[in-house]
Amino acid sequence: MTDSEREARIYHMVERFYELGDQDPVLAPVFAAIPDRPGHFRIVADFWSHALYGTGRYQGSPFPVHMRIDFPFEAFERWLVAFEQAVSEVLTPMEAEIALQRARHMTQSFKVGLFPFQTADGTPSRHLQRRS
Ligand code: HEM
């Protein structure tokens, strides 16, 4: 397997992930707001290239990027379902397993970091609720 085959496969997985996300009613409106899709796909593919193979292609910080995006808490589970399907369809079994483990871990950190509060009924929230 050459590096370019590997990178092409990772990019294709990202395209497939967004194709699946576009079919999901919770993720679709969030993804529709991404201004430059090919540019974004490149960044996300570089992230996974680095996560799987330590290529150094991605040097950013995903957390602050997600602080700026508005999405409901239930988006996390939808995101993981689409991601699991995309990686199992496109990546090798070993890559898929590592990517999924990483994604589950990051989802957990994002949940805690981005939704630190709770509404009165216990639903995770991004905002501190005012008590009356
Ligand atoms: C509810 C779950 C998630 C949603 C709705 C979501 C949505 C988005 C959106 C809309 C962007 C583009 C932001 C922009 O360019 O302004 C983005 C960027 C990104 N997302 Fe997510 N995301 C989620 C979870 C995750 C997870 C779990 C990971 C990794 C495991 C991840 C990795 C990334 C990366 C690497 C970028 C690019 C960051 C950069 O520009 O440096 N996302 N996400």
Side-chain angles (χ1 to χ4, degrees):
M1 185 209 326
T2 65
D3 285 5
S4 67
E5 277 166 2
R6 190 185 75 197
E7 293 304 318
R9 181 168 65 249
I10 293 172
Y11 190 89
H12 177 49
M13 179 278 286
V14 173
E15 286 182 314
R16 179 67 181 133
F17 168 71
Y18 280 92
E19 201 175 86
L20 292 164
D22 285 341
Q23 292 163 23
D24 180 280
V26 175
L27 296 176
V30 185
F31 288 174
I34 297 171
D36 165 21
R37 279 208 170 202
H40 175 68
F41 289 0
R42 188 67 268 155
I43 294 169
V44 177
D46 285 347
F47 170 84
W48 286 111
S49 163
H50 183 55
L52 292 171
Y53 290 101
T55 56
R57 294 176 74 106
Y58 180 79
Q59 307 274 339
S61 318
F63 185 79
V65 175
H66 292 83
M67 279 179 74
R68 295 195 301 266
I69 311 165
D70 188 24
F71 57 82
F73 189 75
E74 74 224 65
F76 287 117
E77 290 321 307
R78 309 285 192 131
W79 191 103
L80 270 179
V81 168
F83 189 72
E84 182 163 10
Q85 187 175 335
V87 296
S88 54
E89 279 180 19
V90 182
L91 298 184
T92 67
M94 176 83 89
E95 289 168 345
E97 194 184 315
I98 299 168
L100 199 53
Q101 212 170 40
R102 180 70 186 272
R104 288 201 179 109
H105 189 256
M106 273 183 65
T107 303
Q108 210 43 45
S109 317
F110 281 4
K111 279 183 178 175
V112 176
L114 297 174
F115 289 73
F117 304 113
Q118 284 189 355
T119 61
D121 68 3
T123 310
S125 165
R126 299 185 98 152
H127 310 287
L128 184 60
Q129 308 289 304
R130 280 215 192 92
R131 289 172 197 275
S132 51

